[in-house]
Amino acid sequence: MATNVPQDIQEIWQMDLDHVIHPFQDFESFKETGSDIMSKSEGSHIFDAYGNKLLDGCAGLWCVNIGYGRKEMAAAIAEQVVDLAYYSTFGQLTTPPTAKFAAKLAEYAPGKLNHIMYSTGGSMANDTAIRMVHYYWNAKGQPNRKKIISRVDAYHGMTYLAAGLTGIEFDRIGFDQEEEIIHHVSVPNVYRPRDGMSPEELCDFLVQELDDKIQELGPENVAAFIAEPIMGAGGVLVPPEGYHKRTQDVCRKYGVLTISDEVVTGFGRLGHIFASEPVFGLTPDIITSAKGISSGYLPLAATIVTDEIYDTISAPREDGGIYSTGFTYAGHPVCCAAGLKNLEIIENEDICGHVLKVGPYFEEQLKTLMDLPLVGDVRGKCFMMCVENVGNKETKEILPPEARVGDRIAKHAQERGALVRPIGHLNVLSPPLIMTTDEIDFLVSTLRASIEATQDDLTREGIWKG
Ligand SMILES: Cc1ncc(COP(=O)(O)O)c(C=O)c1O
């Protein structure tokens, strides 16, 4: 760390280095440089402990949708802490925010998704969905329906089962996987389609592949298909037109349940509280939600299920068993109060309307980066975007991992006052949904300068010939 840093900041840096195991830690570089310390925030900006103001192109981790430093959120949270900081929601106990927020979620969720099981993170929401699906099929008298189909490059979290659903190869290195229940089909990647297929051909292929996979596993053994409407951490992959509707039709044909993981796409990121139906024509059996549900102010997640699933899991069992599962902090009153206030802010400020209006401008401006030699693709929708950096635009060949192209661009951007998230050779942009066109202009011009600086570095170091 820099030498002219106040003593207390140095101590924090040292405590972190000595004691924190960070998620997704590259221990080698961590041990070399430690962590950047982020300490304050306002609107779309973060201030690090060294006084630098940074435009946050990541909304934390796709989550601070309403932006930072909202006093109304602080007041709602404080009020609830004083009224009732915690009570259990096990069995027949509830709290006012727990019930009110569930009713709000049911109001916004499509179709007959009217019942909410709470948890505190996206991984837990997905784990809960799978446990519930298994319980559902047992109750239906179809106990063989246990297999879950997910997709290569999907990201569904990092609890044991959610990590199994996640299909990103790099995240599996060195870990064990659940392989009995979970199976994967191909990724809908139109930038890197298999065998150079057109988007239409790719869509036909993927729909048929899912059908074949269900048949191979035996429809009587398949419980559910899980998919993000737009794949996030796997590379912000927007599927070919009609993909979701057609895969849902395949699932319905075989009685397979559908789970739409809206942990990232929900709460305004694509201009709707839930994107499944308005953007993709989907009416899933289950929606999982987290992140923007509370804009990251407090940990909160929801598994939202249909009347039919609810009626099935709530019917009395002959063996006397009950739906014995849940978490201490399910429906936590303070987190639900934060959820209610977050939703109220989204509604009152018409944040979804802002995203629908400004989102296309963001897409258009980012696409201007396509003239840079290093940029192979710019894709995404509204406030969920990604730049894919390549070594060769024609062949789409990726630079070797040691080029650390995404990291370098992110570092250059941070030095220039903006945060963009590196994922391998990609840079992901998922800003707070309140971002203005001026801030978008700054973000895009900073990214351009950072990619150019990276091109210069790579050329100078002989890693890239342009
Ligand atoms: C689509 C999706 N699902 C689930 C998760 C897991 O959420 P969490 O990290 O809150 O457990 C994430 C996290 O990024 C995600 O992007």
Side-chain angles (χ1 to χ4, degrees):
M1 97 171 307
T3 43
N4 56 343
V5 172
Q7 179 67 22
D8 59 333
I9 302 298
Q10 278 199 34
E11 280 168 14
I12 288 166
W13 180 86
Q14 192 64 52
M15 287 188 270
D16 185 84
L17 187 63
D18 291 346
H19 301 293
V20 179
I21 300 175
H22 292 258
F24 289 81
Q25 185 67 284
D26 174 350
F27 289 106
E28 208 178 323
S29 58
F30 176 60
K31 285 175 186 171
E32 240 170 61
T33 59
S35 299
D36 286 342
I37 304 163
M38 303 305 188
S39 55
K40 290 214 181 301
S41 61
E42 191 186 347
S44 295
H45 289 90
I46 287 287
F47 298 84
D48 67 21
Y50 325 104
N52 298 308
K53 183 178 179 183
L54 302 161
L55 182 64
D56 186 8
C58 317
L61 201 53
W62 333 80
C63 57
V64 188
N65 290 9
I66 59 169
Y68 297 94
R70 294 276 195 167
K71 300 224 167 21
E72 323 87 288
M73 288 294 283
I77 289 166
E79 205 175 302
Q80 187 57 46
V81 168
V82 173
D83 280 353
L84 179 68
Y86 173 77
Y87 212 78
S88 157
T89 60
F90 274 40
Q92 277 135 274
L93 295 165
T94 196
T95 79
T98 310
K100 282 189 201 166
F101 192 50
K104 272 288 201 185
L105 290 173
E107 203 181 288
Y108 276 108
K112 297 188 170 153
L113 280 91
N114 287 316
H115 306 274
I116 285 86
M117 182 146 192
Y118 286 115
S119 53
T120 48
S123 311
M124 278 169 97
N126 286 327
D127 252 50
T128 297
I130 305 307
R131 293 254 296 152
M132 194 186 289
V133 161
H134 283 176
Y135 187 88
Y136 166 90
W137 284 119
N138 290 343
K140 281 275 198 201
Q142 298 188 52
N144 290 335
R145 282 209 192 244
K146 290 285 145 59
K147 310 241 181 238
I148 310 292
I149 301 177
S150 182
R151 301 174 303 166
V152 170
D153 284 344
Y155 189 88
H156 295 295
M158 281 292 140
T159 49
Y160 213 100
L161 204 49
L165 298 171
T166 291
I168 300 173
E169 205 47 50
F170 187 77
D171 295 342
R172 299 174 159 245
I173 301 170
F175 286 96
D176 292 334
Q177 298 300 326
E178 198 300 316
E179 280 171 351
E180 175 61 28
I181 294 170
I182 299 162
H183 301 262
H184 290 85
V185 287
S186 304
V187 51
N189 188 337
V190 294
Y191 178 61
R192 297 180 181 280
R194 99 173 18 221
D195 303 332
M197 290 176 184
S198 70
E200 296 75 25
E201 289 167 338
L202 180 66
C203 192
D204 290 345
F205 167 81
L206 293 166
V207 171
Q208 190 57 50
E209 187 198 32
L210 178 62
D211 199 310
D212 293 346
K213 178 59 85 178
I214 294 173
Q215 295 213 43
E216 175 200 321
L217 297 171
E220 70 284 3
N221 300 319
V222 182
F225 173 58
I226 183 165
E228 300 150 85
I230 293 178
M231 280 174 145
V236 187
L237 298 168
V238 184
E241 188 69 32
Y243 166 85
H244 280 304
K245 184 75 183 48
R246 291 177 63 192
T247 51
Q248 179 172 274
D249 289 345
V250 170
C251 291
R252 295 265 149 91
K253 181 166 90 177
Y254 295 109
V256 170
L257 297 175
T258 52
I259 305 169
S260 183
D261 179 341
E262 290 233 37
V263 166
V264 169
T265 54
F267 284 84
R269 191 147 295 284
L270 301 182
H272 302 272
I273 297 300
F274 295 112
S276 291
E277 192 179 38
V279 184
F280 299 98
L282 278 174
T283 47
D285 299 290
I286 300 178
I287 287 180
T288 52
S289 179
K291 294 191 187 271
I293 196 172
S294 59
S295 283
Y297 278 68
L298 285 175
L300 181 62
T303 303
I304 311 171
V305 307
T306 58
D307 293 338
E308 205 271 323
I309 293 178
Y310 177 76
D311 291 345
T312 304
I313 65 166
S314 62
R317 291 175 59 91
E318 275 175 16
D319 57 12
I322 61 158
Y323 189 63
S324 307
T325 184
F327 314 105
T328 301
Y329 298 136
H332 192 291
V334 185
C335 301
C336 289
L340 278 166
K341 185 54 77 179
N342 178 56
L343 192 51
E344 190 184 307
I345 291 169
I346 292 175
E347 287 168 343
N348 290 349
E349 296 182 13
D350 189 20
I351 285 180
C352 289
H354 175 76
V355 169
L356 289 174
K357 196 160 135 238
V358 177
Y361 177 77
F362 186 35
E363 289 173 34
E364 196 185 290
Q365 291 307 305
L366 269 178
K367 290 213 164 118
T368 63
L369 301 178
M370 280 298 291
D371 65 349
L372 294 168
L374 205 60
V375 175
D377 194 26
V378 175
R379 58 175 175 261
K381 206 168 172 46
C382 286
F383 275 45
M384 186 174 179
M385 298 294 297
C386 170
V387 174
E388 176 155 354
N389 306 293
V390 291
N392 183 316
K393 261 178 173 347
E394 296 297 311
T395 61
K396 303 178 183 177
E397 183 197 333
I398 297 170
L399 286 166
E402 55 275 18
R404 300 181 76 91
V405 63
D407 284 336
R408 283 188 200 245
I409 292 170
K411 207 160 185 317
H412 279 298
Q414 191 166 343
E415 282 161 13
R416 289 165 171 77
L419 295 166
V420 300
R421 182 171 174 216
I423 303 182
H425 66 294
L426 313 172
N427 290 103
V428 167
L429 297 120
S430 60
L433 309 184
I434 54 165
M435 194 162 271
T436 62
T437 49
D438 283 352
E439 288 170 337
I440 286 172
D441 291 346
F442 177 77
L443 188 59
V444 175
S445 61
T446 304
L447 190 53
R448 172 175 286 278
S450 307
I451 296 171
E452 284 168 347
T454 301
Q455 289 176 174
D456 292 346
D457 290 350
L458 295 173
T459 311
R460 201 174 43 248
E461 291 170 29
I463 297 173
W464 182 63
K465 302 217 168 20

